[in-house]
Amino acid sequence: MILYIIIGLVVLIAIFALTTYNSLVRLNNKVKEAFSTMDVYLKKRWDLIPNIVETVKGYAAHEKETLASVINLRNGAYDSMSDEEKIKANKELSKGVVKIMALAEAYPELKANENFKDLSQQLTRVEEDIANSRKYYNGVVRTFNDKVLVFPNNIFAGLFGFKEREMFEVDAAERENVKVEF
C-alpha cells in the first residue's frame, strides 16, 4: 500500500515537473518572440539615427559633444550584440535622441528643413512602435518571471536552467516625450 502511495507521489511530481517545464518553454519562446518584435523597431531607430545626426550636423556644428556621444553609441555592431546589450545600448541611445531633438528646438532653420521634418516624423513613428512593443515585451517577461519565481515552480525552473529575464524599463530622460514641433 505504501509503495503505491510513493509511486503515485512520484508520478504526480513527474507530471507537475513536465507541465511546468513545458509552460516555461512556451513562455520563454513568447519572450523571445516579443523581443524579436521589439528588436525590429529598435534596429529601425538604430539605422535612422545616423541620418538625423548628419542632418543636425549641418546646422549645429558647434554641438559636437552631443552629436559625438550619439555617434559613438551608434558605432557598435548591433547584430552582434546580445539582447541585454541591445537593451542597454538603446537606453543610452534614447537619451541621445532626446538631446538631439532638444538641439533642434534651438535652430528654427533646422526645424524647417524638409529632410529633418521627414526624419523626425519617421523617428516619432518608430518611437511609438518601440513603446508599444516594449509594453508587450515587458508583459510577457512579467508573466515568465512570475512563473520562474513562484513556488514550487522556482524549484523546477532552477533545475531546468530557466532564469528571471530583464524588463526593458525606461530611464527618467526617456519618460519625457520627444517633442517634434514645426
Side-chain angles (χ1 to χ4, degrees):
M1 181 72 162
I2 292 180
L3 181 60
Y4 291 124
I5 293 173
I6 292 173
I7 291 173
L9 284 174
V10 169
V11 168
L12 285 175
I13 291 171
I15 290 170
F16 181 77
L18 288 173
T19 57
T20 299
Y21 177 78
N22 288 338
S23 66
L24 285 168
V25 167
R26 279 196 243 28
L27 284 171
N28 192 47
N29 288 338
K30 277 187 167 184
V31 169
K32 288 177 184 178
E33 180 264 336
F35 186 84
S36 293
T37 300
M38 183 175 59
D39 194 38
V40 168
Y41 300 118
L42 293 174
K43 178 73 166 117
K44 208 180 239 187
R45 178 175 64 177
W46 190 265
D47 293 339
L48 185 62
I49 297 299
N51 297 329
I52 292 173
V53 169
E54 284 303 313
T55 303
V56 172
K57 260 189 202 178
Y59 290 89
H62 64 282
E63 301 284 358
K64 286 184 180 179
E65 184 180 313
T66 300
L67 299 174
S69 68
V70 173
I71 291 168
N72 287 338
L73 279 171
R74 174 57 185 73
N75 283 340
Y78 188 83
D79 293 332
S80 65
M81 292 180 180
S82 70
D83 292 354
E84 290 77 21
E85 290 170 330
K86 287 179 182 180
I87 288 173
K88 184 178 178 189
N90 273 287
K91 283 181 181 179
E92 293 300 316
L93 196 59
S94 291
K95 293 176 189 174
V97 168
V98 169
K99 288 179 185 175
I100 288 174
M101 290 312 191
L103 273 178
E105 292 297 315
Y107 298 92
E109 62 277 0
L110 172 61
K111 287 183 1 179
N113 178 289
E114 287 302 317
N115 189 32
F116 183 76
K117 281 183 186 180
D118 180 52
L119 292 169
S120 297
Q121 289 168 351
Q122 287 179 46
L123 180 63
T124 300
R125 284 191 300 275
V126 168
E127 291 293 340
E128 289 169 2
D129 291 338
I130 290 171
N132 290 330
S133 60
R134 183 183 353 219
K135 278 188 248 179
Y136 175 65
Y137 172 78
N138 283 342
V140 172
V141 167
R142 179 188 43 80
T143 302
F144 177 80
N145 288 346
D146 286 350
K147 186 80 170 181
V148 167
L149 297 173
V150 171
F151 180 82
N153 295 340
N154 61 347
I155 295 168
F156 293 103
L159 289 173
F160 297 133
F162 291 97
K163 294 178 174 41
E164 186 177 8
R165 299 289 293 262
E166 181 181 345
M167 296 239 188
F168 192 168
E169 297 172 344
V170 294
D171 293 332
E174 274 187 272
R175 286 194 173 99
E176 298 174 22
N177 287 339
V178 177
K179 292 184 181 177
V180 182
E181 297 174 0
F182 303 105

